[in-house]
Amino acid sequence: MKTLLLHLSDIHLQQSSNIILNRISNLASSLNLVAREVDDCYCVLSGDIAFSGKNDEYQQAEEFLRMLKQALEQVTNINNIVFILAPGNHDCDFSLNDEIRETLLTGIVSSSSSRSISPKLVEQVTQVQNSFFKFASLHNQAAFKENRLWYEARFPSGKHTFVFVVLNTAWMSSIKETYGSLFFPTEVLTPSEKGESIRICVFHHPGRWFNEKAFHEFRRFLDSHYDLVLTGHEHDQYYSGTKTIEGKSCEYIEGGILQGKSDSSSFNAIVVDTDLCNFKLHEYSWEINSYVVKKTSKDWQSLSDKVFKPLFYNTAKFSEYLQDLGLTFSHPRKDKLTIDDVFVDPEIFLHIVDKTAGQNSDIRIDNLLEVITKYNFVILIGGLRTGKSVLLKRTYSDLLANNIVPLWAYGAKLPFPNEDNIRSYIRHSYEEQYGTDKFDDYDRLPLQQRAVVIDDLHKSNLKPKGKIALLKELKRYFGYILVSGNNIIDIEEFLDNNARYGTDMAEFARVTIAEYGYRLRSKLLGKWLNAGDPDSADIYSSEKYKQLENIINDTLNRPSIPRTPFYIMIILQAAENKYNLNAASGSNGYYYQVIINDAILKTKRSNKDIDIKVGYLSRLAYYMFKRQLSSISAEDMLLFNNNEYLALSGLLVNCDQILMDLVEGQILRLENGYYKFQYSYYAQYFAAMFMANNIQQSKYREEVKRHVIKICNNIHKEHYLNIIEFLYFMSKDPLIAQTIIDNANKIFTDVPLSDLHQDIRFINDMQANIKTVRISSKPVEETRGVILKAQEEDQANIVYNMADVEEFNELELVGMILYAFASINIFGEIIRNYMGTTDIDCIQPLTEESYKVGLRTLSVLLKSIENGREEIVEEIKQHVKTPLLEHELVEELGKRVFYYSAFVALAVIRTLSHSLGASELTKIYQTIYENNPLQSVQLINLTIRIEQSKYPPVDYILALAKELEQNHFALELLLQIVVVNMSLYSWPIEARQKVVAGLKLQEYDDNPKVITRENKLFPGN
């Protein structure tokens, strides 16, 4: 991971006539090459931002920073831009200087001791910098907040943390400054720990401006505690380094003048590679009409002696797992891609929820490490193939690099929540990930140095109550808990009362991953092209880059294809292999077929050899599926080869050679004498292939049909859902759709469809006492659900039936909810991807049944909230610090019921819209409304139209809003649907203005990190 330190100094901004404002675009453009692989940019301004420290000059500085940030974002691919500000002598307003200050300064210089320096004295002396401090606080709340002599800012970045320490060396400045006149009391500093990654000290004046008596102590302090020192003042770019007798080195970089009386202008760009722990310096200067690189350090300069070396190291095997992408992508220049090869930090959003005030927003966060170190308990929510596991692996490594020792936990293997099980699980996980050494040292670590990272919590066999109990228990052992889960995690909370366990998911900060816009796609493409050849020429200006970029963007213009790294890399793989990808297909089975076919081709010995291996894998996967095996011993593999494959296929082939090729091709894995599929997706794909080939003929027909029905009964479990997706893609057998339809018809059959009118009267009746939710221009977060009454109370019911396959009719309430959502996803897969080959007589009832199962499920959830109001009251009482009066309690109850109900309603509406939405089916959606003239159906249709239309359906929005005026709750849902989409995507100005005026929306502009999205089609979640 690379980070850019953009070092600007001596800008001397005046009230007018600032030529640098006309050069900002050129400055940003000049960084295009060095910033291509950069994720973060720290703009370090090492003093003399203003010309004379006046307020009007800092207004120009505000404009300068705004224009610079905008230009960098437009010209480069930089994801995160942060300003680090230090004052210089020109940032002092010497019109405020007086005799008292002069007398105080004389005394400080004569003593050269910190003993005489009190906070009151510092405040008095620095009154001349008041305008600077006000300006700096706007860009970093911590800037000189505790004192006016220095401040520290920390930023996690990849495997390390950047620690900026900013010194106010201009606190003693005077109008006529001379060499040796300054003094800085190092005793006031709290040095960063030596092991803490990359430490950078920023101040204005180089060494010879300091009092000679005190300077040597100051210099020794810098050499001992910092890795880079950035200064300015002398208007001359210069670089030098030092090394102490202990081997500790420190690099000193002086900045030039960015704006002065003459036309000269210069700055530094320092690229830091946090993975390799080195940096490269580029010195820029203004030549005629542009900034050009004047000098570049010959080699990358090492920072290796500063890198934190952890006490705990992952085993080689687990380190390899942390680099595993989860699928074997084919790449023309590298045999096996790793996470480091292609990882690009995604845009992630932290959901901020204030249930009492009714304010919700999504704030963009630079990286997941930043969230977990601040909030301690974090859940990353997203659907399948959104990159959750890869992001968790990166964060695991980031935690370890920051002296927090993480353990990885697989959601499907989580223990029953009791002390013995958890302690045993911790020890086993530690030994698997770190080896058998130093467990006692690990066990003695304080909580704040221990973390657990749980991948796919939703795959756990624990019920919602059991998951909550486990998370509570884990807090006894870990100071940080990071969990990933699908979008059902929140819904589950509605179905179980976990209050008796003393904790709930409300303590977990919610984070989601956005889809990749143009900027992140460009970065991923750059990393793909550099993989295997990191020293290649500028790939971004190459014809190949332009060609692949066009292919990616043209393919992703199809609404059926998610804009996630998984699909982007498949598009790249197909393009590199000259494979004509069918962009019209949104089937997951199709995209996995592309990957798997390429993996098989790598093992090719002859044309017929491929067909034999595909047949072998499909028989093996089905054999293991029937017996519920995740691996098979070498002895049992021999039995399979002789008794199953050779005997039943009638072929005379060398099974040992086949196995050797498949292991070498990373389709199978041999480990400790056991064979298993390299990835679970491979096993699911080939098991589905065998069933697809035998469901209509051969002696396996009846057996396969029985298995297909059982799988259809269990699509609420992710691995069965995958098999069904693959199976339908390969066979399109009507048995699949019919079985799921039959099951869907049994879901809550005695429950009426939610009309979001009569069934929410209890919500509208409570609104008299509360203030309506008003939504700012920030995106609205799907508010966390409330804990309602438990369905079972004893510990025995914490765990699901451990038998993997359940009969549909035996599903409990949670299972029915999960099945309902899974069936909608499957119906959507069939409807959107096969509508061209499926008759309307099938598409119409399938789409309508999807609406109905979703709306019956919504009725159940709303009824749970209505019946659970007493539990909500108890929750309120437990969380308020001061007892509420009766009318206050009623008001708070009304607010929470409203928000919880809105959450489940929006969850169902969005699931239906995302699964079923296709512009080609507009007539069918209208027919469904004609058959079921409900306001809930109108809201679903509205959501689909907003997400699928190239131009917002303004008239339809305003007409429906008019119709819903008397239905307070439904109108609020409409507002949230519209405002979220308006915040996620760039609407045409005239459409936005008309909707804002027509809906009487109040716009806010109080959060610079509000979500922005580059290409309107589907939201990320």
Side-chain angles (χ1 to χ4, degrees), residues 672-690:
N672 299 324
Y674 282 81
Y675 288 92
K676 63 189 307 182
F677 280 88
Q678 182 75 22
Y679 303 110
S680 59
Y681 290 114
Y682 289 175
Q684 295 154 9
Y685 179 89
F686 284 110
M689 177 181 287
F690 183 90

Side-chain angles (χ1 to χ4, degrees), residues 599-606 609-610 612-613 616-617 654-669 675 678:
I600 294 285
L601 282 171
K602 286 184 177 180
T603 72
K604 178 179 177 181
R605 290 176 178 271
S606 65
D609 175 64
I610 295 298
I612 289 172
K613 285 172 180 171
Y616 182 89
L617 286 167
N654 186 340
C655 292
D656 291 339
Q657 185 63 62
I658 291 175
L659 283 172
M660 189 182 304
D661 289 348
L662 294 175
V663 169
E664 187 177 334
Q666 300 176 11
I667 297 167
L668 297 179
R669 185 165 77 243
Y675 288 92
Q678 182 75 22

Side-chain angles (χ1 to χ4, degrees), residues 736-746 827 842 845-846 849:
I736 299 169
Q738 192 57 54
T739 303
I740 299 174
I741 289 174
D742 291 344
N743 287 340
N745 286 329
K746 300 173 187 175
F827 291 159
C842 177
L846 204 58
E849 183 53 41

Side-chain angles (χ1 to χ4, degrees), residues 141-191:
Q141 292 182 353
F144 301 103
K145 182 179 181 181
E146 299 298 326
N147 66 78
R148 290 188 163 194
L149 288 179
W150 73 286
Y151 75 93
E152 182 180 278
R154 297 165 176 260
F155 304 96
S157 183
K159 297 178 180 178
H160 305 289
T161 295
F162 280 95
V163 181
F164 291 91
V165 175
V166 183
L167 309 184
N168 179 9
T169 58
W171 74 295
M172 293 178 58
S173 286
S174 56
I175 295 179
K176 295 183 179 180
E177 213 156 57
T178 59
Y179 295 142
S181 62
L182 302 180
F183 167 72
F184 191 88
T186 56
E187 292 88 344
V188 303
L189 299 174
T190 304

Side-chain angles (χ1 to χ4, degrees), residues 773-934:
V773 180
R774 294 269 65 91
I775 308 171
S776 76
S777 59
K778 305 171 188 176
V780 178
E781 184 257 353
E782 295 184 9
T783 312
R784 189 200 65 81
V786 66
I787 307 157
L788 296 177
K789 194 171 183 179
Q791 301 302 311
E792 290 119 13
E793 298 183 2
D794 56 291
Q795 284 276 337
N797 284 333
I798 289 181
V799 183
Y800 278 122
N801 181 354
M802 296 303 290
D804 197 33
V805 178
E806 301 173 84
E807 290 303 322
F808 176 80
N809 293 331
E810 297 175 1
L811 291 179
E812 298 174 357
L813 182 60
V814 173
M816 295 289 275
I817 296 287
L818 298 178
Y819 194 96
F821 279 93
S823 63
I824 292 170
N825 287 331
I826 286 291
F827 291 159
E829 176 90 358
I830 295 171
I831 292 165
R832 287 184 290 104
N833 295 305
Y834 307 111
M835 54 186 162
T837 57
T838 307
D839 291 340
I840 190 172
D841 292 342
C842 177
I843 293 293
Q844 165 77 40
L846 204 58
T847 309
E848 188 161 349
E849 183 53 41
S850 299
Y851 274 59
K852 288 181 177 180
V853 72
L855 292 176
R856 290 199 299 269
T857 302
L858 177 56
S859 283
V860 171
L861 293 169
L862 291 172
K863 181 59 70 173
S864 297
I865 295 173
E866 182 178 7
N867 295 339
R869 283 177 286 185
E870 291 183 9
E871 283 74 22
I872 298 176
V873 169
E874 291 303 313
E875 180 194 318
I876 294 170
K877 289 179 178 178
Q878 290 177 17
H879 285 83
V880 296
K881 296 180 180 178
T882 305
L884 299 176
L885 299 175
E886 184 64 28
H887 75 278
E888 293 174 326
L889 189 60
V890 171
E891 181 177 336
E892 181 63 22
L893 173 63
K895 290 179 181 179
R896 296 202 181 196
V897 165
F898 185 90
Y899 301 133
Y900 300 154
S901 302
F903 164 67
V904 295
L906 288 169
V908 171
I909 289 171
R910 286 170 177 153
T911 296
L912 287 165
S913 173
H914 296 173
S915 298
L916 307 174
S919 58
E920 296 87 347
L921 302 177
T922 301
K923 289 185 178 179
I924 288 180
Y925 306 139
Q926 182 58 34
T927 301
I928 292 172
Y929 174 67
E930 292 169 0
N931 296 341
N932 306 273
L934 306 174

